[in-house]
Amino acid sequence: MTQVDNLANSLMNGPDENGHFGLFGGRFVAETLMPLILDLEKSYEQAKADPEFQKELDYLLTYYAGRPSVLYHAERLTEHLGGAKIYFKRDELNHTGSHKINNCLGQILLAKRMGKTRIIAETGAGQHGVAVATVAARFNLPCTVFMGAMDVERQSPNVFRMKMLGAEIRPVTAGRGTLKDAMNEALRDWVTNVDDTFYIIGTAAGPHPYPQLVRDFQSVIGREVREQMMEAEGRLPDSLVACIGGGSNAIGLFHPFLDDKDVSIYGVEAAGRGLDGPDHAASLNGGQPGVLHGNRTYLLQDDDGQILEGHSISAGLDYPGIGPEHSWLKDIGRVNYVSATDQEALDGFQMCSKYEGIIPALEPSHALGFVKKLAPTLSKDHLLVMNLCGRGDKDVFAVAEHLGMNIKG
Amino acid sequence: MTIKTRIDARFEQLKTENRGALVTFITAGDPVYDVSLEILKSLPEAGADVIELGMPFSDPMADGPAIQLASERALANGQTMIKTLEMVREFRKTDNDTPIVLMGYFNPIYRYGAEKFVADAKEAGVDGLIVVDVPPEADEELCIPAMNVGLNFIRLATPTTDDERLPMVLQNTSGFLYYVSVTGITGVNAPDISDVLKNVARIQAQTDLPIAVGFGVKSAEQVREITAGAAGAVVGSAIVREIEANLNEDGSPREGLASRVKMLISELAQGVRT
């Protein structure tokens, strides 16, 4: 096979020039924003071709974020579950405590190149907001973070962190005051402040080029895993597992492996109180294709096309949409999209804390909940990598409450 | 392709009358279906030349708080796409001249099925569509199907639409062009009218289409100033706020709501009539 054939058959080439991954993606935005996202796309293409840009990003990833994050053999969990050999990709060890910093460093360098002087962002759990506030402080740019009023309540540690970092927090009460409303509000701000403002989107969704851009900046996760696994085991992993809200940590882990047909890939959605009721955030397993926030993708919506609220114990997963590349990967069958309930996530949270001495965030706790079911069904020479994409400090109050413990005094 | 709609006829007529168009926006089903229909039916007599009827959406990203709340009220009271088309059918029983443009976001249309939607809308008596989040780059999604059934697809040009981009925005636009007076969302910032009219002139040099100006227009005075240099002025949030101001604590409409909205429209209409 020639290289051209290889490229044509690759699953890693998307999106096309209009930002489509098959049916999904695209640029569904108001006219005011069109010139801005076209400009962003052009600037990103130029930046990608500029070795200086990559050099600066690599430097910051190494010396500021602390990359590469280690690939850790979770020996006790492996023993406890009695099946696959489990590795954690320790992205919770990054500066700011999650994978979100990878993307924020990339985007703020882009903002700087484009001469933008003000940063805005949306956040749900606050992990992305903290990462944005962090890079904004590092690069001395004023920063406004939109956060659903409900999330401001349930993620108070992260709200405090953002404030310490100098960000202005705007609690969003419009709509129902959750992540999707925060994203609406950020888009409204952007459309009003078109000249000076750069919008750092945190997940692999939004209008083209955001899904591609976020994926590219997060793909450092998967590229490191390839190298680290070759070093540790002399071969590629057999399966990959990551939790999915909008899907940025998952696409970052998955993308470099899409063409490795022998690698099984699992994305774990939040099933909330169960997929048979309305209280979940599983856009792929319980939604329909639609158009929101600039892209076509699977959405939680009613028969009339009104967007529904997602529910999850984790504020980082309750987005009613999902990155368009995941929608495409679902439809072509390359990735298995499964789910874990609130309870399974709580079990995963406790299991990881108890057996590995690592308190995970509630988001990857969903991946843990699934690994708990999957690993025992696999043989001992099966290499499983799970992205431990965030640490659980921010969630201890919420988890304590769910477990019926009073730690607030 | 030339398709003659009520919109074309109306702008031609206003040209002979030598005055601009008052374009009024309300959200279908706000605050409840019956009152909304009553308001809709009263608009032409009050002085509205073109009607924009909002299709409520849960996530109106291009709109300010006033119109978002209107959407929420309508949806909470059971408004659907089917009921919105039903309102147009009811309206057409007594008015066959006033153009109706449905305005909203793509997802409810996509869910309905774009081809089926444009056919049903045409049949109900709709003349044009404004769908904020479908740019010219995605014409095949909705604009082309709309044109094929004889609906005008009215596009927005904005302060960020430069001369390089303008031809793309104008291509396939019909009926009129909607010029967005400010960068931002509906009903918040007041436009700088001399600036707006400069842009309208710049765009008018590239097209024969009538240009209507909206976003932040709330008084008869502004309507007058705008229609001195543009074919029409759009008022939305100010009307929707009048509805909001005439609700009881529990959200139910107060007695006389529809007639107060009618009074406001009559006032605004002075901007194109004196």
Side-chain angles (χ1 to χ4, degrees):
Chain A
M1 202 187 271
T2 68
Q3 185 155 22
V4 175
D5 284 338
N6 270 328
L7 279 174
N9 290 327
S10 172
L11 298 179
M12 294 167 66
N13 291 339
D16 70 14
E17 60 190 24
N18 288 312
H20 292 115
F21 301 91
L23 172 68
F24 302 100
R27 304 181 190 96
F28 295 92
V29 297
E31 174 60 23
T32 309
L33 290 180
M34 267 314 289
L36 278 78
I37 62 170
L38 293 173
D39 192 33
L40 173 61
E41 185 183 341
K42 209 165 77 187
S43 302
Y44 178 53
E45 290 305 321
Q46 286 165 357
K48 262 202 301 195
D50 180 356
E52 282 303 308
F53 179 82
Q54 196 55 52
K55 201 171 133 194
E56 191 174 4
L57 180 56
D58 287 345
Y59 177 86
L60 288 163
L61 286 172
T62 305
Y63 294 99
Y64 191 65
R67 299 209 74 90
S69 68
V70 295
L71 183 68
Y72 162 73
H73 174 209
E75 211 176 326
R76 283 203 69 217
L77 189 64
T78 298
E79 200 180 305
H80 170 64
L81 294 177
K85 186 169 182 182
I86 299 166
Y87 281 87
F88 288 161
K89 178 61 173 167
R90 299 283 308 271
D91 253 51
E92 102 281 10
L93 293 177
N94 295 331
H95 180 40
T96 74
S98 82
H99 68 290
K100 293 291 186 186
I101 191 82
N102 306 332
N103 167 50
C104 290
L105 283 170
Q107 287 201 45
I108 202 146
L109 288 182
L110 210 47
K112 216 177 63 166
R113 269 177 86 94
M114 294 175 73
K116 301 293 182 182
T117 55
R118 174 175 175 261
I119 299 297
I120 58 169
E122 86 295 339
T123 196
Q127 292 302 88
H128 174 58
V130 166
V132 172
T134 297
V135 298
R138 169 66 181 73
F139 286 88
N140 192 27
L141 291 174
C143 169
T144 300
V145 179
F146 295 89
M147 188 168 186
M150 206 176 103
D151 291 336
V152 170
E153 285 284 309
R154 59 178 174 171
Q155 300 289 335
S156 54
N158 274 344
V159 173
F160 179 71
R161 290 166 79 195
M162 287 184 274
K163 284 183 180 161
M164 283 291 100
L165 292 161
E168 178 204 359
I169 311 297
R170 292 236 194 115
V172 176
T173 51
R176 300 211 190 128
T178 59
L179 177 55
K180 85 173 167 70
D181 301 301
M183 196 152 180
N184 290 338
E185 218 53 36
L187 284 165
R188 289 179 179 127
D189 182 293
W190 198 27
V191 87
T192 308
N193 300 290
V194 292
D195 293 327
D196 61 352
T197 297
F198 190 101
Y199 181 12
I200 300 188
I201 294 184
T203 194
H208 179 62
Y210 280 104
Q212 176 188 7
L213 199 141
V214 174
R215 176 200 72 198
D216 290 352
F217 291 138
Q218 291 295 1
S219 290
V220 65
I221 300 171
R223 286 197 305 271
E224 286 176 6
V225 167
R226 283 186 84 94
E227 277 180 29
Q228 292 166 328
M229 193 53 107
M230 288 305 289
E231 204 169 297
E233 299 279 353
R235 65 182 183 91
L236 292 180
D238 297 301
S239 52
L240 305 172
V241 181
C243 64
I244 301 214
S248 71
N249 91 84
I251 203 70
L253 174 64
F254 300 168
H255 193 260
F257 293 94
L258 290 179
D259 286 340
D260 300 292
K261 297 285 157 56
D262 294 335
V263 179
S264 302
I265 306 181
Y266 299 90
V268 187
E269 292 193 294
R273 300 189 181 100
L275 291 182
D276 43 357
D279 297 330
H280 61 78
S283 321
L284 291 172
N285 284 299
Q288 301 283 340
V291 174
L292 180 71
H293 294 151
N295 62 137
R296 176 162 30 221
T297 192
Y298 278 86
L299 299 172
L300 299 179
Q301 56 181 317
D302 68 15
D303 291 341
D304 209 42
Q306 308 299 338
I307 309 303
L308 301 172
E309 288 295 329
H311 162 82
S312 169
I313 189 172
S314 139
L317 299 182
D318 67 0
Y319 182 63
I322 182 146
E325 195 164 8
H326 287 295
S327 291
W328 174 67
L329 291 169
K330 170 195 158 69
D331 277 11
I332 64 169
R334 175 63 186 97
V335 176
N336 306 297
Y337 291 96
V338 296
S339 64
T341 62
D342 288 350
Q343 188 55 52
E344 287 167 332
L346 281 170
D347 292 348
F349 182 97
Q350 294 173 87
M351 177 181 76
C352 188
S353 305
K354 184 174 163 193
Y355 286 96
E356 290 296 341
I358 300 170
I359 297 178
L362 275 172
E363 291 80 17
S365 293
H366 287 73
L368 285 158
F370 176 70
V371 166
K372 190 178 168 204
K373 288 188 287 188
L374 178 68
T377 69
L378 300 168
S379 64
K380 289 192 184 334
D381 59 355
H382 185 105
L383 303 177
L384 184 155
V385 176
M386 193 204 86
N387 198 10
L388 191 57
C389 62
R391 65 174 188 229
D393 311 38
K394 71 183 173 62
D395 292 314
V396 293
F397 294 104
V399 172
E401 204 181 307
H402 282 284
L403 298 179
M405 299 178 196
N406 181 0
I407 57 171
K408 285 185 177 168
Chain B
M1 182 168 25
T2 45
I3 39 173
K4 179 137 172 169
T5 62
R6 291 183 193 90
I7 299 172
D8 302 322
R10 178 54 51 98
F11 277 103
E12 277 171 28
Q13 173 209 335
L14 293 178
K15 211 168 179 180
T16 65
E17 290 177 23
N18 201 23
R19 67 173 180 89
L22 174 65
V23 183
T24 61
F25 173 94
I26 58 167
T27 297
D30 172 33
V32 293
Y33 183 90
D34 291 343
V35 176
S36 187
L37 179 62
E38 189 187 347
I39 296 170
L40 178 68
K41 284 180 168 173
S42 75
L43 291 173
E45 197 187 286
D49 298 301
V50 176
I51 295 169
E52 286 180 8
L53 188 60
M55 300 174 277
F57 182 47
S58 53
D59 293 79
M61 280 104 42
D63 286 299
I67 291 178
Q68 175 160 22
L69 287 171
S71 259
E72 286 174 14
R73 289 192 294 269
L75 291 173
N77 288 311
Q79 189 69 14
T80 60
M81 294 292 274
I82 287 171
K83 285 187 183 171
T84 298
L85 294 179
E86 191 51 40
M87 268 181 81
V88 178
R89 270 184 218 105
E90 285 296 318
F91 176 84
R92 282 278 171 254
K93 285 180 182 168
T94 54
D95 186 319
N96 200 29
D97 300 317
T98 309
I100 292 192
V101 176
L102 291 183
M103 184 165 187
Y105 296 81
F106 189 37
N107 196 55
I109 295 174
Y110 183 71
R111 190 84 176 100
Y112 192 104
E115 300 274 346
K116 180 169 160 40
F117 177 76
V118 294
D120 289 359
K122 178 71 185 174
E123 175 273 319
V126 172
D127 303 288
L129 299 179
I130 300 176
V131 182
V132 190
D133 52 354
V134 186
E137 281 80 354
D139 261 357
E140 71 287 353
E141 297 276 348
L142 186 61
C143 173
I144 307 288
M147 285 166 72
N148 287 343
V149 300
L151 289 176
N152 289 135
F153 198 80
I154 293 137
R155 232 187 261 297
L156 277 57
T158 71
T160 61
T161 312
D162 57 16
D163 286 336
E164 194 189 334
R165 195 171 158 75
L166 189 56
M168 191 167 191
V169 170
L170 290 172
Q171 191 194 14
N172 294 337
T173 298
S174 61
F176 64 94
L177 182 75
Y178 189 133
Y179 182 70
V180 176
S181 67
V182 293
T183 58
I185 51 178
T186 54
V188 179
N189 296 322
D192 174 336
I193 295 192
S194 71
D195 223 41
V196 166
L197 292 184
K198 253 182 266 168
N199 270 310
V200 168
R202 169 176 70 90
I203 296 168
Q204 196 74 76
Q206 308 290 322
T207 179
D208 293 332
L209 286 173
I211 299 175
V213 176
F215 280 42
V217 183
K218 57 184 177 195
S219 69
E221 190 50 37
Q222 285 171 305
V223 169
R224 182 175 300 116
E225 288 170 12
I226 286 168
T227 51
V234 188
V235 184
S237 297
I239 299 170
V240 164
R241 277 196 199 98
E242 186 68 19
I243 295 176
E244 188 182 337
N246 284 283
L247 298 175
N248 293 311
E249 291 260 312
D250 66 355
S252 61
R254 274 190 212 141
E255 196 75 21
L257 185 156
S259 58
R260 268 189 287 276
V261 172
K262 195 175 168 185
M263 269 166 56
L264 172 67
I265 307 284
S266 307
E267 253 173 69
L268 292 165
Q270 293 307 304
V272 291
R273 281 183 170 80
T274 50

